[in-house]
Amino acid sequence: MTVYLDHAATTPMRPQAVEAMLPFLTERFGNPSGSHAIARAARAATDDARDSVADALGAQPGEVVFTASGTEADNLAILGRGGRAVCTAIEHHAVLHAVEAVGGSIVAVDADGVVDLDGLEAALDDDVRVVSVMLANNEVGTVQALEAVAEVVRRGAPNALLHTDAVQAVNWLDVAAAASVADLISISAHKFGGPMGVGALIVREPSRLAPVIHGGGQERERRSGTHNVAGIVGLAAALRTAVEARPHLVPRVEALRDRLCDGLLAVIPDSRETGSRATKVAGTCHLLFDGVESEALLLLLDEAGVCASAGSACASGALEPSHVLTAMGIDDRLALSSLRLSLGWTTTDDDVDLALKAVPDAVARLRS
Ligand code: PLP
């Protein structure tokens, strides 16, 4: 039996998304930029998807820009703005590296991963064009209170737009409400039961961004490239499903996560949870096991049928400590002994039971 506890890396597709996509991978193959009947049918599908995404995120249809990933949405938000950018130290590399590319400032977080508002205020001035603060973190799950952030940004950087990377938030939070103060919002379909390789950026009117990808002028000149119609339809179907499922999913997964996290902490000596659970999304259990190397632990867990991660998927394979953990004040040695178990819509009681046996066994083997 394989237990998948890596939903923050990617999620299994929702059947509703697969079903919605299939016609666009077969007989409804048109290019929505054309004018004949088959093209118009594809155009109608992308328009419907746009309406549906706007509705789910509290935006207008004209504010939705479809992209080829969450990474691209983040890059468009930062690079498309031009000028100086500011972000927190725990952003995904899609934001962090884009901010670094424009010579921006990085703002510290506290031990729970919550942004330091005084530090943010100190980094702001009239030249700042975009401030990026993620809604939910991909490694430890910390949620930021964007209203307080928006107030600081309005005061300290009157020419800036507020961007939030909501890629990890969709399953767990009402993004329309939690990100209502943001001008720019990134999402990625594969994190909420949709396909890989499609995302969206909400660009709230009257905000303006310069395109990062030049070409045929699709997405009202904001993002060129032939539409990934099946992907866009799949994103919209997955988003609708995730939004409808959320009221039941959150308490169910939170109870599973708490049983898993508490169970592991109770039986594994010298273990601790990263940050405060009160500030995290429901699906994330992030632990540190003193003296245990994450890489070796992940190998043993894989052998035992448990798919987990040490942090962000992009960083695994590299032996460097996670920038998120070091920003939270965790020393390099301990940061290399982390385990992220991320739960989602397919996670069951049996999965948790198996992990509650496999993780302590693996840690004990590595310590013996
Ligand atoms: N932002 C966050 C918070 C993420 O977790 C990820 C993916 O891991 C991304 C952005 C990038 O999204 P994508 O995989 O669609 O490029």
Side-chain angles (χ1 to χ4, degrees):
M1 174 174 164
T2 300
V3 171
Y4 185 73
L5 292 172
D6 204 12
H7 283 252
T10 196
T11 54
M13 276 184 65
R14 295 269 191 182
Q16 294 89 336
V18 177
E19 199 184 322
M21 289 173 76
L22 278 176
F24 298 94
L25 296 167
T26 50
E27 72 272 16
R28 296 180 69 182
F29 55 84
N31 182 332
S33 298
S35 56
H36 51 65
I38 290 183
R40 287 198 307 275
R43 172 68 188 237
T46 54
D47 285 348
D48 288 349
R50 196 182 303 283
D51 291 348
S52 166
V53 169
D55 186 49
L57 298 180
Q60 296 300 316
E63 296 174 331
V64 178
V65 179
F66 289 116
T67 64
S69 60
T71 298
E72 192 197 316
D74 286 344
N75 273 262
L76 177 57
I78 307 297
L79 305 180
R81 203 43 199 151
R84 220 159 79 70
V86 172
C87 73
T88 79
I90 61 159
E91 298 299 312
H92 188 273
H93 284 134
V95 167
L96 204 55
H97 289 167
V99 168
E100 284 165 0
V102 297
S105 314
I106 313 292
V107 177
V109 297
D110 69 13
D112 292 327
V114 175
V115 62
D116 168 13
L117 292 179
D118 293 335
L120 175 61
E121 189 150 17
L124 301 179
D125 59 36
D126 290 357
D127 292 337
V128 174
R129 301 280 292 159
V130 60
V131 176
S132 188
V133 176
M134 72 200 312
L135 189 50
N137 178 264
N138 46 302
E139 290 188 39
V140 296
T142 307
V143 176
Q144 308 288 340
L146 288 184
E147 290 204 358
V149 168
E151 213 180 291
V152 172
V153 172
R154 262 195 301 271
R155 252 196 339 261
N159 300 314
L161 297 182
L162 176 59
H163 167 245
T164 192
D165 177 336
V167 166
Q168 292 287 344
V170 172
N171 292 308
W172 317 114
L173 305 175
D174 178 355
V175 173
S180 64
V181 290
D183 305 295
L184 306 167
I185 307 168
S186 303
I187 61 165
S188 172
H190 75 102
K191 305 291 187 176
F192 50 83
M196 290 172 179
V198 59
L201 181 69
I202 300 300
V203 183
R204 202 93 75 189
E205 290 289 347
S207 313
R208 289 284 166 266
L209 294 180
V212 169
I213 295 177
H214 300 272
Q218 286 90 344
E219 293 300 271
R220 291 182 29 220
E221 308 284 338
R222 294 168 298 184
R223 195 279 184 184
S224 288
T226 300
H227 291 92
N228 170 4
V229 179
I232 288 167
V233 167
L235 178 149
L239 183 58
R240 270 195 308 275
T241 309
V243 167
E244 277 166 25
R246 196 194 313 115
H248 305 288
L249 183 79
V250 170
R252 186 180 76 78
V253 170
E254 193 164 34
L256 288 172
R257 188 273 314 266
D258 289 349
R259 187 161 78 81
L260 176 61
C261 233
D262 292 337
L264 294 176
L265 289 165
V267 300
I268 302 177
D270 298 319
S271 58
R272 66 178 243 211
E273 189 168 2
T274 319
S276 151
R277 205 176 301 172
T279 59
K280 291 175 191 225
V281 290
T284 308
C285 169
H286 193 285
L287 301 172
L288 300 166
F289 302 117
D290 209 355
V292 172
E293 254 186 39
S294 317
E295 298 236 325
L297 178 59
L298 291 177
L299 276 175
L300 283 188
L301 290 178
D302 194 20
E303 273 174 23
V306 176
C307 303
S309 157
S312 70
C314 327
S316 79
L319 266 172
E320 311 218 323
S322 138
H323 68 283
V324 174
L325 301 183
T326 47
M328 290 167 69
I330 293 162
D331 69 43
D332 286 5
R333 200 185 53 87
L334 197 54
L336 287 169
S337 67
S338 65
L339 177 68
R340 179 186 71 185
L341 300 166
S342 51
L343 296 71
W345 70 275
T346 54
T347 308
T348 62
D349 265 312
D350 287 350
D351 293 338
V352 169
D353 289 339
L354 205 139
L356 279 171
K357 174 146 179 30
V359 178
D361 284 356
V363 171
R365 260 181 75 186
L366 291 171
R367 280 179 173 162
S368 68

